[in-house]
Amino acid sequence: IVWTHSDIGDWVDKLLGPGLGASFRRHKIDGPTLLGLTEAELKEPLGFQDPIQRLKILGHLRALQVRATGATASRSTSAGARTPGRGASAAAPGGRGTERGEGRSPRRSNG
């Protein structure tokens, strides 16, 4: 999957609020770069001083990585069971799921 810096910026805008993806666009953070970011890098140079915002981004990245791992394992055990490119999600950058349309990030329950 190729996520451009514009895709990532749009995803962060949707996740945290309008305008907050600007630093991802300015620093040209694309998909592979996004997946390697640390909390420290989100703070500096990307400028996310609010620890909740940093944790939210990292949490969603972990969910995407878990889903990607699960989707890959699922496809290898049941070839042809899923069709890539269906069910686009705003949960992933570019409006695509981790495997080109793998649903939304899981929601946390309060209990």
Side-chain angles (χ1 to χ4, degrees):
I1 296 174
V2 178
W3 297 326
T4 67
H5 64 278
S6 291
D7 291 333
I8 302 301
D10 292 346
W11 177 71
V12 173
D13 284 341
K14 289 176 187 171
L15 185 64
L16 300 177
L20 292 174
S23 62
F24 287 83
R25 291 182 198 92
R26 186 171 49 258
H27 290 280
K28 303 219 181 289
I29 304 294
D30 59 7
T33 306
L34 175 72
L35 294 174
L37 287 178
T38 65
E39 186 172 359
E41 291 164 331
L42 288 170
K43 186 174 183 180
E44 193 61 42
L46 292 173
F48 287 88
Q49 299 304 313
D50 183 341
I52 299 301
Q53 290 178 334
R54 294 192 305 268
L55 290 174
K56 190 168 186 178
I57 291 170
L58 293 172
H60 279 266
L61 286 176
R62 278 192 301 275
L64 290 170
Q65 290 168 335
V66 166
R67 261 202 338 260
T69 302
T72 302
S74 175
R75 256 203 317 269
S76 67
T77 58
S78 59
R82 293 184 180 185
T83 305
R86 303 231 172 139
S89 168
R96 295 179 292 275
T98 57
E99 291 295 318
R100 294 190 178 222
E102 294 296 322
R104 297 185 179 272
S105 294
R107 295 184 189 250
R108 248 187 169 160
S109 66
N110 292 332

